[in-house]
Amino acid sequence: MKRLLPLLFVLLCAGVAHAASPLPSDSLYQLTVPLTDQDGHTASFAARRGTPQIVSMFYTSCTMVCPMIIDTMKATRRAAGEPANLHLLAVSFDPERDDVDALRRYAAAHKLDLRWWTLARTGPRDTRALAALLGVQYRKLPDGDFNHSSALLLLDADGRIVARTNIIGRTDPEFVAAVRKATAK
Amino acid sequence: MRRRLALMLLGLLLGGPTLAADGASSKYRPLPGGRFESVLPADGKTAPAVLKPFRLRSEPVTNAEFLAFVKSHPQWRRDRVPGVFADGRYLSQWAAPDQLGPAALPRQPVTRVSWFAAQAYCESEQARLPTWYEWEYAAAADATRADARSDPAWRERVLSWYARPSNDALPPVGGKPDIHGVRDLNGLVWEWVEDFNAMMTSADSREQDGADKLKFCGAGAISMEQKENYATLMRVAMLSSLKATDTTANLGFRCARPE
């Protein structure tokens, strides 16, 4: 405990210093979107600042491409050597059906390690804005499914896009190299 | 106009969102909605779009209106907007970040605005950007018909506007109202829609049949129907090629509200 206190103090100070420095103009965290995760916790998208992230969009009832998106994120992390400071975020296109429960069940079914994984949802308007920010296209179909483009984005600790890949179903060597570089710092 | 603006500003000063909303709501016209044969079938094949009744801004947002917005929301000034929300040409036709100047007259439609900026403006009017279906449905009207698209003269008029050189100065808003009392949907500027990033049409129409399963979950890219409605298809192609940060000299916007 005695040893923990100074550590906590340092962490607190670091946190304060971090929050105080202005976001870069090209940081995606400029967009104020609330994200609710698989545990029901809501925090702003910008609260993810401080750690490199792989970000993508998916929805839980998609059986074709979305499991591949999640698997590709997993495989990319493995290929990059499981860096401890790399977080993974997948946001749902389908806030209507993907409630906290659906996200939690999906995380369990796909054995996602919640130490670094976050499955999240936000409101319909914010979902569209987040997709616009990430350069992802999606369209709801009358049967409730979605057409959507698939992309993985690598954000640096300040939320700037440093790499992007549309390769799904296998790891993209260039993207993996970018992950290694971003997490080595 | 000036009185309406003054009222809106007064509303903002008094911190009364109700007053500001009242000032803006007179600019919105009701449209009935219903089933609509869009060039983009809802299911990618033949299903019509179904629209709820909504209200559409009778005119595109003007430079004067956008200037008032930028003054009350300075985070959207061109010298303060984060790069992640607008490219470098954002509002570059204005003389200064808070001044219109000779290249941007008050009654001209505002252009060089990003999707993020347009959406933020609409939110300031307790509104949002119209969806593509709302926009296409509204723009199908002329002075006497809610859907004039089967008339070759209507199509010709839209296409002849496209052919006009875009380096001429933009006319002011205030074209003839259509049957809904809405002006300038065709013939003045291209306009943002809320779901501009939902138009997943392939650049090459030959790709549309072989659903690119890795790129598109579900049914693959949607196909575009009504090939004779070339004028509308051009607009879809333009919108689907945009990024949310893009700003161009002839792309403006108007806002919509649910009924």
Side-chain angles (χ1 to χ4, degrees):
Chain A
M1 189 62 204
K2 225 178 205 170
R3 243 183 330 178
L4 255 177
L5 272 177
L7 183 70
L8 268 176
F9 182 72
V10 168
L11 280 174
L12 271 175
C13 291
V16 168
H18 208 104
S21 68
L23 276 173
S25 169
D26 54 349
S27 169
L28 302 198
Y29 297 142
Q30 297 275 359
L31 187 74
T32 48
V33 182
L35 295 177
T36 302
D37 69 15
Q38 69 285 329
D39 296 323
H41 296 138
T42 301
S44 89
F45 181 39
R48 306 185 67 83
R49 189 181 185 188
T51 319
Q53 316 265 326
I54 297 176
V55 181
S56 191
M57 295 185 78
F58 82 120
Y59 66 106
T60 68
S61 51
C62 165
T63 51
M64 204 176 349
V65 176
C66 301
M68 290 170 72
I69 293 174
I70 301 296
D71 287 347
T72 307
M73 289 171 79
K74 249 190 214 174
T76 301
R77 190 172 201 285
R78 204 177 309 127
E82 305 277 356
N85 59 342
L86 177 67
H87 285 198
L88 306 168
L89 169 68
V91 183
S92 173
F93 291 112
D94 191 6
E96 234 171 89
R97 293 185 297 184
D98 283 344
D99 54 13
V100 168
D101 234 30
L103 297 176
R104 187 192 303 121
R105 274 184 275 119
Y106 193 90
H110 290 261
K111 300 188 168 58
L112 304 184
D113 190 328
L114 298 181
R115 279 178 295 173
W116 40 76
W117 268 98
T118 305
L119 300 183
R121 68 186 297 281
T122 184
R125 190 81 58 84
D126 286 329
T127 304
R128 183 63 70 193
L130 189 66
L133 193 71
L134 299 175
V136 169
Q137 295 178 297
Y138 74 101
R139 172 182 188 81
K140 191 175 182 181
L141 301 169
D143 63 5
D145 271 338
F146 288 78
N147 268 5
H148 62 89
S149 62
S150 303
L152 304 191
L153 290 106
L154 175 65
L155 309 188
D156 70 10
D158 277 332
R160 288 173 289 215
I161 298 175
V162 288
R164 173 189 188 92
T165 183
N166 296 101
I167 296 176
I168 302 296
R170 61 184 169 84
T171 54
D172 174 349
E174 278 181 42
F175 191 76
V176 170
V179 172
R180 282 184 184 274
K181 202 173 148 204
T183 52
K185 287 166 198 166
Chain B
M1 178 61 213
R2 201 171 287 167
R3 223 178 88 195
R4 222 159 41 184
L5 246 178
L7 263 177
M8 259 179 67
L9 281 172
L10 185 70
L12 288 170
L13 279 174
L14 295 174
T18 354
L19 197 56
D22 286 344
S25 59
S26 62
K27 297 183 220 144
Y28 285 77
R29 296 279 182 267
L31 278 81
R35 288 163 78 83
F36 176 70
E37 300 285 342
S38 167
V39 295
L40 302 179
D43 60 352
K45 293 177 215 89
T46 55
V50 180
L51 287 103
K52 292 186 186 138
F54 65 103
R55 286 178 180 266
L56 190 64
R57 214 175 188 278
S58 62
E59 294 176 349
V61 174
T62 63
N63 277 315
E65 289 166 329
F66 204 80
L67 178 65
F69 164 72
V70 158
K71 285 186 173 169
S72 58
H73 301 74
Q75 68 271 33
W76 290 101
R77 286 165 56 119
R78 72 177 187 207
D79 55 344
R80 298 195 195 161
V81 70
V84 77
F85 292 148
D87 69 22
R89 290 168 304 180
Y90 173 67
L91 297 178
S92 57
Q93 77 278 31
W94 288 10
D98 58 354
Q99 209 184 327
L100 299 183
L105 303 175
R107 281 289 284 168
Q108 280 176 330
V110 68
T111 59
R112 296 188 198 274
V113 279
S114 68
W115 179 87
F116 289 109
Q119 190 77 305
Y121 177 93
C122 289
E123 280 171 24
S124 78
E125 282 193 359
Q126 293 81 45
R128 53 168 171 77
L129 287 170
T131 65
W132 165 255
Y133 284 150
E134 288 170 342
W135 196 95
E136 184 191 2
Y137 164 83
D142 70 3
T144 55
R145 297 166 289 188
D147 191 345
R149 294 176 299 166
S150 59
D151 180 357
W154 179 89
R155 288 187 209 143
E156 200 47 51
R157 246 194 334 271
V158 179
L159 282 174
S160 69
W161 163 50
Y162 292 175
R164 206 174 58 205
S166 63
N167 48 3
D168 291 354
L170 285 171
V173 299
K176 274 171 56 182
D178 67 17
I179 192 169
H180 304 297
V182 176
R183 301 165 193 272
D184 299 318
L185 281 161
N186 290 301
L188 187 54
V189 280
W190 304 86
E191 295 181 17
W192 279 111
V193 295
E194 179 178 59
D195 51 350
F196 79 100
N197 58 349
M199 303 181 164
M200 310 173 62
T201 53
S202 163
D204 181 346
S205 61
R206 283 168 304 180
E207 287 172 27
Q208 289 180 10
D209 299 327
D212 183 348
K213 300 241 155 85
L214 286 187
K215 197 168 174 198
F216 301 113
C217 203
I222 44 178
S223 64
M224 296 197 279
E225 297 299 314
Q226 304 174 24
K227 304 274 191 282
E228 74 285 357
N229 200 342
Y230 187 65
T232 310
L233 294 178
M234 272 178 75
R235 192 174 280 268
V236 170
M238 188 280 298
L239 283 168
S240 67
S241 71
L242 290 173
K243 295 194 301 286
T245 49
D246 284 344
T247 69
T248 81
N250 43 25
L251 178 63
F253 70 101
R254 72 181 72 216
C255 315
R257 287 181 185 154
E259 186 56 277

